[in-house]
Amino acid sequence: MATTTTDQCLARLLRIEGAIGAALVDYHSGLALGVAGGGPHFDLQAAAAGNTDVVRAKMRTMEMLRLDGEIDDILITLTGQYHLIRPTTAPGADGLYFYLALDRQKANLAMARRTLQQAEKTLREV
């Protein structure tokens, strides 16, 4: 997967109104393959590692329950933020997910989810 495409996808996510930060993460290792945004008060590398546990837990639960299908996205709603996690289904991107943090007062959640879906499709086209 080309770094340019990863950077382009993350830059697109960061243009969402209210976006705080975005990352493309390997949920096998917990490492962020690319980050955009964040800052001194929002460590995207730490967020990537922590949210990897969320993705793994949900996948284990689905397996235990023998649920068919895949995760479209996971939404975590905080008092002042939305955190969206979207596993990728792109060929060659197995085991990756997008992570997007949004300011809850500024973001349009439906538009953010749509933009995240489009970014994931961009990876499939590579």
Side-chain angles (χ1 to χ4, degrees):
M1 178 174 333
T3 302
T4 303
T5 303
T6 299
D7 292 343
Q8 290 170 341
C9 288
L10 294 174
R12 179 184 213 176
L13 294 176
L14 211 52
R15 287 193 297 268
I16 297 170
E17 186 170 351
I20 297 168
L24 182 63
V25 185
D26 178 336
Y27 69 72
H28 297 293
S29 67
L31 295 175
L33 304 178
V35 296
H41 301 290
F42 199 90
D43 182 347
L44 282 166
Q45 297 290 342
N51 283 298
T52 295
D53 292 336
V54 172
V55 174
R56 288 178 186 159
K58 187 59 191 172
M59 289 183 168
R60 277 193 311 270
T61 301
M62 289 176 64
E63 189 176 306
M64 283 188 321
L65 296 173
R66 296 187 177 109
L67 297 176
D68 292 330
E70 298 175 358
I71 299 169
D72 280 338
D73 61 39
I74 298 169
L75 171 63
I76 300 168
T77 306
L78 305 176
T79 306
Q81 297 176 353
Y82 292 123
H83 292 222
L84 276 166
I85 298 168
R86 183 176 180 88
T88 65
T89 58
D94 185 42
L96 303 181
Y97 69 89
F98 279 107
Y99 167 69
L100 176 63
L102 302 159
D103 180 311
R104 189 171 169 173
Q105 298 302 313
K106 297 177 184 175
N108 177 323
L109 185 56
M111 289 303 295
R113 289 178 79 195
R114 180 165 171 77
T115 304
L116 192 57
Q117 182 182 31
Q118 290 169 343
E120 194 262 338
K121 283 182 183 177
T122 300
L123 285 182
R124 272 193 244 149
E125 295 167 0
V126 173

